[in-house]
PDB file of all heavy atoms in Angstrom:
ATOM      1  N   ASP A  41      33.199  20.276 -76.046  1.00  0.00           N
ATOM      2  CA  ASP A  41      33.755  20.529 -74.650  1.00  0.00           C
ATOM      3  C   ASP A  41      33.185  19.501 -73.788  1.00  0.00           C
ATOM      4  O   ASP A  41      31.990  19.188 -73.726  1.00  0.00           O
ATOM      5  CB  ASP A  41      33.379  21.921 -74.230  1.00  0.00           C
ATOM      6  CG  ASP A  41      34.146  22.348 -72.941  1.00  0.00           C
ATOM      7  OD1 ASP A  41      34.150  21.597 -71.991  1.00  0.00           O
ATOM      8  OD2 ASP A  41      34.848  23.356 -73.033  1.00  0.00           O
ATOM      9  N   THR A  67      38.915  21.240 -71.495  1.00  0.00           N
ATOM     10  CA  THR A  67      39.498  22.506 -71.758  1.00  0.00           C
ATOM     11  C   THR A  67      40.169  23.135 -70.540  1.00  0.00           C
ATOM     12  O   THR A  67      40.231  24.389 -70.402  1.00  0.00           O
ATOM     13  CB  THR A  67      38.484  23.475 -72.331  1.00  0.00           C
ATOM     14  OG1 THR A  67      37.264  23.497 -71.495  1.00  0.00           O
ATOM     15  CG2 THR A  67      38.085  23.121 -73.769  1.00  0.00           C
ATOM     16  N   GLU A  70      44.160  25.491 -72.190  1.00  0.00           N
ATOM     17  CA  GLU A  70      43.762  26.017 -73.534  1.00  0.00           C
ATOM     18  C   GLU A  70      44.516  25.145 -74.567  1.00  0.00           C
ATOM     19  O   GLU A  70      45.482  24.450 -74.297  1.00  0.00           O
ATOM     20  CB  GLU A  70      44.096  27.452 -73.611  1.00  0.00           C
ATOM     21  CG  GLU A  70      43.188  28.325 -72.704  1.00  0.00           C
ATOM     22  CD  GLU A  70      43.371  29.757 -72.711  1.00  0.00           C
ATOM     23  OE1 GLU A  70      44.392  30.280 -73.322  1.00  0.00           O
ATOM     24  OE2 GLU A  70      42.504  30.446 -72.191  1.00  0.00           O
ATOM     25  N   GLY A  98      33.456  26.706 -76.119  1.00  0.00           N
ATOM     26  CA  GLY A  98      33.893  28.064 -76.053  1.00  0.00           C
ATOM     27  C   GLY A  98      35.000  28.390 -76.966  1.00  0.00           C
ATOM     28  O   GLY A  98      35.264  27.552 -77.909  1.00  0.00           O
ATOM     29  N   GLY A  99      35.727  29.452 -76.776  1.00  0.00           N
ATOM     30  CA  GLY A  99      36.872  29.827 -77.674  1.00  0.00           C
ATOM     31  C   GLY A  99      37.886  28.721 -77.790  1.00  0.00           C
ATOM     32  O   GLY A  99      38.497  28.520 -78.889  1.00  0.00           O
ATOM     33  N   SER A 100      38.124  27.948 -76.729  1.00  0.00           N
ATOM     34  CA  SER A 100      39.133  26.960 -76.830  1.00  0.00           C
ATOM     35  C   SER A 100      38.720  25.842 -77.848  1.00  0.00           C
ATOM     36  O   SER A 100      39.605  25.445 -78.659  1.00  0.00           O
ATOM     37  CB  SER A 100      39.276  26.189 -75.471  1.00  0.00           C
ATOM     38  OG  SER A 100      39.833  27.110 -74.573  1.00  0.00           O
ATOM     39  N   ASP A 103      38.952  27.207 -81.428  1.00  0.00           N
ATOM     40  CA  ASP A 103      40.344  27.224 -82.044  1.00  0.00           C
ATOM     41  C   ASP A 103      40.835  25.794 -82.372  1.00  0.00           C
ATOM     42  O   ASP A 103      41.445  25.552 -83.278  1.00  0.00           O
ATOM     43  CB  ASP A 103      41.321  27.917 -81.001  1.00  0.00           C
ATOM     44  CG  ASP A 103      41.157  29.454 -81.069  1.00  0.00           C
ATOM     45  OD1 ASP A 103      40.398  30.007 -81.997  1.00  0.00           O
ATOM     46  OD2 ASP A 103      41.690  30.121 -80.174  1.00  0.00           O
ATOM     47  N   THR A 139      29.321  28.054 -77.479  1.00  0.00           N
ATOM     48  CA  THR A 139      28.484  27.801 -76.288  1.00  0.00           C
ATOM     49  C   THR A 139      28.858  28.825 -75.172  1.00  0.00           C
ATOM     50  O   THR A 139      28.355  28.733 -74.083  1.00  0.00           O
ATOM     51  CB  THR A 139      28.638  26.414 -75.707  1.00  0.00           C
ATOM     52  OG1 THR A 139      30.038  26.259 -75.254  1.00  0.00           O
ATOM     53  CG2 THR A 139      28.411  25.401 -76.738  1.00  0.00           C
ATOM     54  N   SER A 148      36.980  34.932 -86.274  1.00  0.00           N
ATOM     55  CA  SER A 148      38.360  35.459 -86.581  1.00  0.00           C
ATOM     56  C   SER A 148      39.063  34.441 -87.555  1.00  0.00           C
ATOM     57  O   SER A 148      38.721  33.410 -87.791  1.00  0.00           O
ATOM     58  CB  SER A 148      39.109  35.535 -85.324  1.00  0.00           C
ATOM     59  OG  SER A 148      39.425  34.264 -84.825  1.00  0.00           O
ATOM     60  N   THR A 150      42.070  33.421 -87.001  1.00  0.00           N
ATOM     61  CA  THR A 150      43.206  32.818 -86.335  1.00  0.00           C
ATOM     62  C   THR A 150      42.668  31.653 -85.344  1.00  0.00           C
ATOM     63  O   THR A 150      41.522  31.658 -85.045  1.00  0.00           O
ATOM     64  CB  THR A 150      43.991  33.868 -85.400  1.00  0.00           C
ATOM     65  OG1 THR A 150      45.101  33.249 -84.853  1.00  0.00           O
ATOM     66  CG2 THR A 150      43.064  34.508 -84.384  1.00  0.00           C
ATOM     67  N   LEU A 178      22.485  28.141 -76.315  1.00  0.00           N
ATOM     68  CA  LEU A 178      23.555  27.243 -75.965  1.00  0.00           C
ATOM     69  C   LEU A 178      24.453  27.833 -74.932  1.00  0.00           C
ATOM     70  O   LEU A 178      25.171  27.222 -74.208  1.00  0.00           O
ATOM     71  CB  LEU A 178      24.404  26.882 -77.218  1.00  0.00           C
ATOM     72  CG  LEU A 178      23.713  26.037 -78.331  1.00  0.00           C
ATOM     73  CD1 LEU A 178      24.751  25.803 -79.442  1.00  0.00           C
ATOM     74  CD2 LEU A 178      23.118  24.788 -77.750  1.00  0.00           C
ATOM     75  N   THR A 190      34.806  35.692 -70.038  1.00  0.00           N
ATOM     76  CA  THR A 190      34.788  35.692 -71.472  1.00  0.00           C
ATOM     77  C   THR A 190      34.087  36.859 -72.083  1.00  0.00           C
ATOM     78  O   THR A 190      34.537  37.423 -73.090  1.00  0.00           O
ATOM     79  CB  THR A 190      34.205  34.327 -71.972  1.00  0.00           C
ATOM     80  OG1 THR A 190      34.912  33.261 -71.406  1.00  0.00           O
ATOM     81  CG2 THR A 190      34.259  34.159 -73.488  1.00  0.00           C
TER      82      THR A 190
HETATM   83  P1  NAD B   1      36.980  28.293 -72.917  1.00  0.00           P
HETATM   84  O1  NAD B   1      36.497  27.773 -74.306  1.00  0.00           O
HETATM   85  O2  NAD B   1      38.410  28.033 -72.518  1.00  0.00           O
HETATM   86  O3  NAD B   1      35.997  27.697 -71.885  1.00  0.00           O
HETATM   87  C1  NAD B   1      36.130  28.132 -70.426  1.00  0.00           C
HETATM   88  C2  NAD B   1      35.288  27.242 -69.624  1.00  0.00           C
HETATM   89  O4  NAD B   1      33.921  27.355 -69.868  1.00  0.00           O
HETATM   90  C3  NAD B   1      35.631  25.655 -69.775  1.00  0.00           C
HETATM   91  O5  NAD B   1      35.723  25.074 -68.483  1.00  0.00           O
HETATM   92  C4  NAD B   1      34.398  25.173 -70.528  1.00  0.00           C
HETATM   93  O6  NAD B   1      34.224  23.861 -70.255  1.00  0.00           O
HETATM   94  C5  NAD B   1      33.305  26.022 -69.997  1.00  0.00           C
HETATM   95  N1  NAD B   1      32.082  26.241 -70.841  1.00  0.00           N
HETATM   96  C6  NAD B   1      32.042  26.560 -72.152  1.00  0.00           C
HETATM   97  N2  NAD B   1      30.751  26.709 -72.588  1.00  0.00           N
HETATM   98  C7  NAD B   1      29.945  26.328 -71.467  1.00  0.00           C
HETATM   99  C8  NAD B   1      28.595  26.324 -71.204  1.00  0.00           C
HETATM  100  N3  NAD B   1      27.704  26.617 -72.194  1.00  0.00           N
HETATM  101  N4  NAD B   1      28.193  25.897 -70.094  1.00  0.00           N
HETATM  102  C9  NAD B   1      29.037  25.537 -69.038  1.00  0.00           C
HETATM  103  N5  NAD B   1      30.430  25.620 -69.179  1.00  0.00           N
HETATM  104  C10 NAD B   1      30.777  26.072 -70.379  1.00  0.00           C
HETATM  105  O7  NAD B   1      36.745  29.832 -72.764  1.00  0.00           O
HETATM  106  P2  NAD B   1      36.682  31.126 -73.770  1.00  0.00           P
HETATM  107  O8  NAD B   1      36.904  32.251 -72.899  1.00  0.00           O
HETATM  108  O9  NAD B   1      35.466  31.028 -74.566  1.00  0.00           O
HETATM  109  O10 NAD B   1      37.876  30.813 -74.712  1.00  0.00           O
HETATM  110  C11 NAD B   1      39.195  31.086 -74.392  1.00  0.00           C
HETATM  111  C12 NAD B   1      40.121  30.575 -75.574  1.00  0.00           C
HETATM  112  O11 NAD B   1      39.830  31.305 -76.794  1.00  0.00           O
HETATM  113  C13 NAD B   1      41.558  30.631 -75.304  1.00  0.00           C
HETATM  114  O12 NAD B   1      42.304  29.469 -75.734  1.00  0.00           O
HETATM  115  C14 NAD B   1      41.948  31.948 -76.200  1.00  0.00           C
HETATM  116  O13 NAD B   1      43.318  31.788 -76.594  1.00  0.00           O
HETATM  117  C15 NAD B   1      41.001  31.708 -77.279  1.00  0.00           C
HETATM  118  N6  NAD B   1      40.780  32.927 -78.000  1.00  0.00           N
HETATM  119  C16 NAD B   1      40.763  32.857 -79.390  1.00  0.00           C
HETATM  120  C17 NAD B   1      40.467  33.935 -80.169  1.00  0.00           C
HETATM  121  C18 NAD B   1      40.545  33.824 -81.683  1.00  0.00           C
HETATM  122  O14 NAD B   1      40.306  34.823 -82.354  1.00  0.00           O
HETATM  123  N7  NAD B   1      40.794  32.679 -82.196  1.00  0.00           N
HETATM  124  C19 NAD B   1      40.149  35.188 -79.618  1.00  0.00           C
HETATM  125  C20 NAD B   1      40.209  35.287 -78.214  1.00  0.00           C
HETATM  126  C21 NAD B   1      40.492  34.123 -77.460  1.00  0.00           C
END
Side-chain angles (χ1 to χ4, degrees):
D41 192 303
T67 51
E70 294 183 343
S100 293
D103 284 349
T139 65
S148 73
T150 186
L178 299 178
T190 303

